């Protein structure tokens, strides 16, 4: 196999991006364990051996897919959390940012949903567990602040609400298709209307 120095020389950023996008779609559809380098290479229209000129393993591909997605997600989340918004506005902005990331990285989100729990036990993917702790802190802290400020109901089960919002947002990666009939911002608006205001007709 080529060493890392050669990998950096032979792989253009554009080609790496194309191969990672292909690998992400295959991982999302078939699962990481069931996917072989040959399968990815076939989908990319190249020989399996040629793929090693770009990546030393399918694990490296998965690592780059997930770390790129999470790095970008946290850039958006950190900006929201640093903006000094009220609790409701923070929830709205976090949800909107989440749907934007599904639009940008749909396959990576689907992989994260399916694989993160068992991958986090591996040393190379410990950052997944760290990210999960940050997720909980961001969402639970905002919900707690909303209850304390009388923005959200006093009887709200904070952890149950967090789990519901987390799961119902990210499961959209299973059906959302970029370029469809609704923008991520419109989907976020409809979702927030249902979650924050309910679906019953106002009297």
């Amino acid at each position: 196999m080529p060493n890392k120095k050669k990998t950096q020389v032979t792989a253009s950023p554009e080609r790496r991006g194309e191969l990672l996008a292909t690998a992400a779609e295959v991982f999302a559809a078939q699962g990481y364990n069931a996917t072989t380098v040959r399968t990815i290479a076939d989908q990319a229209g190249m020989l399996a051996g040629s793929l090693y000129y770009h990546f030393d393993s399918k694990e490296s591909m998965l690592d780059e897919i997930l770390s790129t997605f999470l790095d970008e997600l946290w850039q958006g989340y950190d900006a929201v959390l640093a903006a000094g918004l009220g609790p409701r506005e923070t929830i709205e902005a976090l949800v909107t940012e989440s749907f934007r990331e599904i639009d940008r990285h749909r396959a990576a989100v689907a992989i994260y949903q399916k694989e993160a729990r068992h991958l986090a036990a591996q040393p190379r993917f410990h950052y997944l567990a760290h990210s999960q702790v940050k997720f909980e802190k961001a969402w639970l802290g905002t919900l707690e602040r909303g209850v304390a400020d009388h923005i959200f109901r006093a009887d709200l089960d904070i952890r149950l609400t967090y789990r519901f919002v987390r799961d119902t947002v990210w499961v959209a990666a299973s059906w959302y298709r970029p370029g469809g009939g609704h923008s991520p911002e419109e989907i976020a608006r409809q979702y927030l209307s249902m979650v924050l205001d309910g679906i019953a007709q106002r009297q």
Side-chain angles (χ1 to χ4, degrees), residues 15-94:
R15 185 55 174 156
R16 282 180 69 85
E18 292 170 0
L19 293 173
L20 286 171
T22 298
E25 291 295 339
V26 177
F27 288 143
Q30 299 187 9
Y32 174 68
N33 289 332
T35 298
T36 65
V37 171
R38 180 180 295 278
T39 303
I40 297 169
D42 287 345
Q43 289 295 315
M46 64 196 303
L47 296 174
S50 299
L51 197 57
Y52 287 113
Y53 282 96
H54 302 277
F55 304 96
D56 61 10
S57 65
K58 71 171 187 175
E59 184 182 55
S60 291
M61 287 184 273
L62 181 65
D63 188 6
E64 192 163 338
I65 290 164
L66 291 177
S67 62
T68 298
F69 154 60
L70 287 174
D71 286 348
E72 186 172 310
L73 176 69
W74 278 107
Q75 286 178 14
Y77 270 29
D78 287 341
V80 169
L81 295 170
L85 302 172
R88 178 176 175 129
E89 291 75 18
T90 299
I91 292 292
E92 290 172 343
L94 289 174

Side-chain angles (χ1 to χ4, degrees), residues 12 19 29 42 90 97 103-105 127 138 152 170 178 189 194:
S12 71
L19 293 173
D42 287 345
T90 299
E97 191 61 37
D103 182 64
R104 297 180 188 120
H105 298 289
Y127 62 86
F152 303 140
W170 293 114
R189 190 186 69 78
M194 288 184 284

Side-chain angles (χ1 to χ4, degrees), residues 25 69-70 72-73 77 94-113 135 139 165-180 182-185 187-188 191:
E25 291 295 339
F69 154 60
L70 287 174
E72 186 172 310
L73 176 69
Y77 270 29
L94 289 174
V95 166
T96 302
E97 191 61 37
S98 299
F99 280 112
R100 286 174 179 153
E101 286 304 308
I102 293 172
D103 182 64
R104 297 180 188 120
H105 298 289
R106 185 203 61 80
V109 173
I111 297 166
Y112 183 89
Q113 289 290 94
F135 275 130
W139 287 93
V165 171
R166 176 195 65 192
D167 292 348
T168 53
V169 167
W170 293 114
V171 76
S174 66
W175 54 261
Y176 178 79
R177 291 297 177 270
H182 299 284
S183 69
E185 291 80 11
I187 293 174
Y191 174 85

Side-chain angles (χ1 to χ4, degrees), residues 152-173:
F152 303 140
R153 295 199 328 260
D155 65 339
L156 201 66
D157 185 316
I158 300 297
R159 187 162 291 274
L160 183 62
T161 302
Y162 158 67
R163 289 172 175 167
F164 171 77
V165 171
R166 176 195 65 192
D167 292 348
T168 53
V169 167
W170 293 114
V171 76

